[in-house]
Amino acid sequence: MSKKIVLIDGHSILNRAFYGIPDLTNSEGLHTNAVYGFLNILLKILEEEQADYLTVAFDVKAPTFRHEMYDAYKGTRKGMPEELREQVPLMKEVLKAMHVTIVERPGYEADDILGTIARQAERDGLDVSLVSGDRDLLQLATEKIKIRIPKTKRGGTEIEDYHTQDVIDKYGVTPLQIIDLKGLMGDQSDNIPGVPGIGEKTATKILTQFETVENAIEHVDEIKPNKAKENLKEYEDMARMSKTLATIKTDCELDYNRDEATFDELFNEEAFVMFKRLEFKNLLNRFDQEASVSNTFEESFVLTSDFAKADQILSEAKETITTKKVSHIGISFLYEKEEILGLTICYGEEKAATILVGGMITKEYLVDHMNAFIQMEGTLSIIGLKDQLRFMDACENSPFFDCSVVAYLLNPLKDSYFYDDLARDYLSIPLRSTQELFGKKKLSEVASEENDEFRLYGGYVSYVAFKAYEPLMDALKETEMLDLFHDIEMPLVYTLWDMERRGIRVNKEALKQYGDQLSGRINELETGIYDLVGEQFNINSPKQLGVILFEKLELPFAKKTKTGYSTSADILEKLKCEHPVISMILEYRQLTKLKSTYADGLANYIHEDDSRIHGKFNQTITATGRISSTEPNLQNIPIRMELGRQIRKVFIPKDGYVFLDADYSQIELRVLAHMSGDERLIAAYHEDEDIHRITASQVFHTPLNEVTSLQRSNAKAVNFGIIYGISSFSLGQDLGITKKDADHYIKRYFETYPKVKGFLENLVSDAKEKGYVTTLYHRRRPIPELASSNFMQRAFGERIAMNSPIQGTAADIIKIAMIRVNKRLKEANMKSQLLLQIHDELLVETHESEIEQVKQIMLEEMQGVSSLAVPLEIEVMQGNNWYESK
């Protein structure tokens, strides 16, 4: 059986992968989609081919004979996007780490290198598999040389294979005639001009009769049709030159030894480090755990359930802190849901130990020791504090340093801040993730003394917390976010945990009635929709709905997709005036979502023991610094439609209590006024009047008492739109006016508040220079989109640059307010408790005897949270359910 070599056209496959996979970036801000796609194609090819040798060829930025010909005919190659350009050296770095042979030679293009290696391999009796997205390479196809052309589609990559007969079947010419075909018809993607007026069909017909470009020129008077004949006569030199351009050299002088092009060690330690750096988590499972990485410090990790050993470890740790041999330790509970499995602690370079629950070591024993550490003077560096507070007697003054929260502040664009992320980003150490260690097993399944993976896992958690403390602290100081961390983010951890453990009470019967109410209206809508269109169909099926709207009813704005017609919300909104069924369909969609998400969905989260929902509040999710809500998402309850708002009626206080809801009034607009320093906007707020009416009066040059409700509504849209960098096109769509009128509104707004325009422009220019924006409290928001070569991405980045400092500052203010309100209620030993933070509002379950006192606390703490140039205003509402108090 013949040996086989796989040859890869580096730039071609990288280019194909770049356009086939959505943009990806790692935590360094490196674009990685092309590299990721290239590796997937490469690994798929190697799996299929089972080859003996592998070589990747790249173009070198140096003059070649083709470039000279391009210049002679004023040919220009399309520039490479910057996001792709930066991935070329990165791709080479990855391949070198994988010990893959790379060939590049000044003066030769990659296809010439590949052609030379392929022909020599064929002469030596090898089978060749040549992978490229460039169909020029089809000229190399023979019975021994197979050309493979990947096509990226949904669901993966398909590959077209070509030997000699495959080329003939597809193109009607032999592989060598591909050169002549390009000579006649050209190739726009390669800047091969060809002969004007001669396309693929005519070129194929000419070659079927005359075989080559030269022979066709010799018999040009016999060519039909006449237009092709005349064009070939006129552009004979162009045809010859185009054929030369399309011809791949197969006799390049290369410094290449095929015997060195084996690839037995693709998944080595060096490659593992690269894959970790680039965050290719899906590819890491290809590495053997033993071969993936060897960190000598892992050898010192201890796992024990022996009581005497555990006591010794904990005593030694306490002594180390007491004698101030270290300023901090790494510590963490290892847990699954509500169950402690162990305690891990690191208090020196080689002092990491995991103490496992079992035998004489109980959960209570470990909790007691953790609480003892909390009382000591040293800092406790930990990863993910909030979810561990349920096991501790910790308070806001506890000496914790949450590494996950710090890593989030330093780069809020990431989606994970666990030990392996921290080790990679701040220690330059590649560590196996939990998935790599345990696969799909639960942590409790592998928590045994004999399990080495659990030993490593426990060691990693405390070791990384210990080692990352100093670099994280240095980074906080360097980015001026140390105060933000100490004064806002760390106290917030405890406040969020307080809210989670308290939960919010739900009236189960009211929830059921709400669901029944929705079902009744949904059934009414179904019947009405069927009556209006004259038949029954699946309203939830976009395909069936599209047929009804655009084929049966023949409505306008039909937009074909691969699966049928688009029935997206924006399309339906356009159709509202075209047919009465559209409004019913929109309402049907809203109500079915309400029923599934809230009427049915909320029931799954109610705890049987207290009839309360204990949702999660996430501190490290959003890029702007806002808190998010999950399990369930209580921040996403619809408030624009009355039936949606009514879901709030099912949330009730416990007996003897009421809800007090305090909501900031236009906090982002007030932040804009302060940050921009615009005197007229600041004065408008100090007049204590309706800001939207004042803006309407000034923008539309109308006396304040004559402003119409429409003018006020339009001014409101402009006020809030400005914060989000709204375009005249979007504003026009929102208000149902022309782009020209919307542009006029925005122009007038900036004339009214001139400093706002300058402020927003400065935000964008500063962000382009620095790569990030900041809030008043120094929170950073990186904006890599501003460096994109894609116009839409850059425009999106500019909107982020305008909005994030404002939205982020508002988020900081609300965080401080909730921390202070929660702290005041606790310090006064009040029965009332903070339950929810929803965007700009706080909800307190208030004892009937404390109503006035709580109102005063909320007013003082929320309005006095920050000294802005304009007053912060809140409205406090009272009710027997959340609906009444909002």
Side-chain angles (χ1 to χ4, degrees), residues 268-283:
N268 58 71
E269 183 175 332
E270 191 180 352
F272 183 83
V273 172
M274 278 298 303
F275 280 36
K276 283 291 250 185
R277 176 192 167 201
L278 300 178
E279 298 165 26
F280 293 158
K281 294 182 180 179
N282 291 340
L283 296 176

Side-chain angles (χ1 to χ4, degrees), residues 90-126:
L90 186 62
M91 185 72 251
K92 294 177 185 178
E93 195 178 344
V94 170
L95 291 172
K96 286 173 183 174
M98 296 174 75
H99 300 173
V100 172
T101 299
I102 296 173
V103 181
E104 46 191 357
R105 179 79 184 272
Y108 296 130
E109 294 185 12
D111 50 6
D112 301 321
I113 295 169
L114 294 169
T116 299
I117 296 174
R119 285 283 189 248
Q120 184 59 56
E122 181 183 37
R123 287 193 292 272
D124 293 342
L126 275 73

Side-chain angles (χ1 to χ4, degrees), residues 639-640 645 663-669 672 681 685 690-700 707-724 726 731 734-735 737 745-746 749 753:
I639 57 172
R640 290 188 179 179
R645 280 198 299 272
D663 197 348
Y664 276 110
S665 169
Q666 302 163 354
I667 186 168
E668 291 184 358
L669 282 176
L672 172 64
L681 189 55
Y685 271 111
D690 181 338
I691 187 66
H692 304 310
R693 187 169 294 279
I694 291 174
T695 298
S697 171
Q698 294 174 341
V699 167
F700 301 122
V707 169
T708 66
S709 58
L710 178 60
Q711 285 177 321
R712 182 190 181 278
S713 177
N714 288 349
K716 182 178 179 179
V718 177
N719 267 333
F720 287 115
I722 291 297
I723 296 172
Y724 291 92
I726 199 167
L731 181 64
D734 291 347
L735 298 181
I737 59 177
Y745 284 4
I746 293 172
Y749 178 94
Y753 305 123

Side-chain angles (χ1 to χ4, degrees), residues 390-611:
R390 72 195 74 188
F391 309 124
M392 307 178 197
D393 295 334
C395 64
E396 285 84 343
N397 297 321
S398 299
F400 281 108
F401 178 91
D402 193 330
C403 298
S404 298
V405 172
V406 180
Y408 162 71
L409 288 178
L410 296 173
N411 187 352
L413 303 185
K414 292 188 50 144
D415 59 0
S416 177
Y417 304 94
F418 203 34
Y419 70 81
D420 50 326
D421 306 289
L422 298 171
R424 178 192 62 241
D425 297 341
Y426 300 100
L427 304 176
S428 299
I429 300 173
L431 298 180
R432 282 175 261 170
S433 65
T434 52
Q435 184 181 359
E436 291 163 60
L437 287 172
F438 310 136
K440 294 182 179 179
K441 288 182 180 178
K442 293 181 179 178
L443 194 59
S444 56
E445 292 179 57
V446 292
S448 68
E449 191 171 4
E450 294 75 30
N451 193 297
D452 196 53
E453 282 71 30
F454 192 79
R455 177 185 71 86
L456 290 172
Y457 167 71
Y460 289 158
V461 173
S462 59
Y463 180 83
V464 170
F466 175 78
K467 291 285 287 181
Y469 171 78
E470 289 184 1
L472 288 172
M473 181 62 84
D474 290 343
L476 277 177
K477 292 174 183 175
E478 185 181 335
T479 55
E480 299 183 331
M481 287 194 284
L482 189 58
D483 288 344
L484 173 66
F485 172 71
H486 280 307
D487 299 340
I488 300 179
E489 293 300 326
M490 275 309 295
L492 183 67
V493 173
Y494 301 97
T495 303
L496 295 181
W497 165 239
D498 283 340
M499 289 159 53
E500 286 184 11
R501 65 184 176 83
R502 291 165 187 158
I504 185 168
R505 189 181 178 198
V506 177
N507 185 331
K508 294 180 185 178
E509 185 55 36
L511 182 61
K512 183 182 181 303
Q513 290 173 4
Y514 179 71
D516 293 341
Q517 182 185 359
L518 288 176
S519 294
R521 178 57 182 155
I522 288 167
N523 290 336
E524 287 177 10
L525 288 167
E526 273 186 354
T527 303
I529 291 168
Y530 296 153
D531 288 345
L532 278 174
V533 303
E535 67 175 271
Q536 291 191 9
F537 66 101
N538 183 354
I539 304 169
N540 295 311
S541 166
K543 190 172 184 179
Q544 291 185 35
L545 179 60
V547 171
I548 292 290
L549 297 182
F550 302 113
E551 293 184 9
K552 181 169 185 177
L553 300 182
E554 298 181 342
L555 296 180
F557 309 121
K559 185 179 177 182
K560 270 277 193 179
T561 67
K562 289 182 180 179
T563 55
Y565 295 98
S566 171
T567 59
S568 61
D570 58 332
I571 295 286
L572 294 184
E573 286 292 338
K574 286 183 183 178
L575 293 170
K576 278 175 79 170
C577 299
E578 302 291 333
H579 199 285
V581 77
I582 302 300
S583 293
M584 297 177 76
I585 290 168
L586 284 168
E587 186 182 353
Y588 174 88
R589 280 189 176 179
Q590 289 175 319
L591 297 190
T592 52
K593 184 178 180 182
L594 269 176
K595 186 170 188 311
S596 63
T597 305
Y598 296 105
D600 300 336
L602 286 179
N604 299 321
Y605 292 104
I606 301 172
H607 285 226
E608 289 298 325
D609 56 344
D610 62 3
S611 296

Side-chain angles (χ1 to χ4, degrees), residues 622-675:
T622 69
T624 57
R626 278 193 163 194
I627 296 163
S628 72
S629 165
T630 54
E631 299 180 40
N633 183 354
L634 295 176
Q635 293 184 336
N636 210 28
I637 289 176
I639 57 172
R640 290 188 179 179
M641 57 184 298
E642 177 56 29
L643 202 48
R645 280 198 299 272
Q646 286 185 24
I647 186 63
R648 291 191 172 204
K649 289 181 178 178
V650 309
F651 295 96
I652 58 173
K654 57 189 175 185
D655 297 341
Y657 288 72
V658 297
F659 279 151
L660 288 182
D661 187 296
D663 197 348
Y664 276 110
S665 169
Q666 302 163 354
I667 186 168
E668 291 184 358
L669 282 176
R670 292 171 191 269
V671 168
L672 172 64
H674 173 84
M675 294 183 77

Side-chain angles (χ1 to χ4, degrees), residues 224-270:
K224 293 181 181 179
N226 284 334
K227 185 178 179 183
K229 176 176 67 178
E230 296 305 321
N231 284 353
L232 185 55
K233 279 183 177 179
E234 184 176 351
Y235 295 101
E236 173 187 329
D237 289 346
M238 190 81 83
R240 294 181 189 274
M241 185 273 292
S242 295
K243 179 174 178 178
T244 303
L245 281 174
T247 302
I248 293 172
K249 286 176 66 67
T250 59
D251 58 354
C252 303
E253 294 181 11
L254 301 176
D255 181 17
Y256 173 75
N257 184 344
R258 186 172 60 235
D259 292 336
E260 295 176 357
T262 55
F263 55 99
D264 300 329
E265 298 180 354
L266 291 179
F267 303 109
N268 58 71
E269 183 175 332
E270 191 180 352

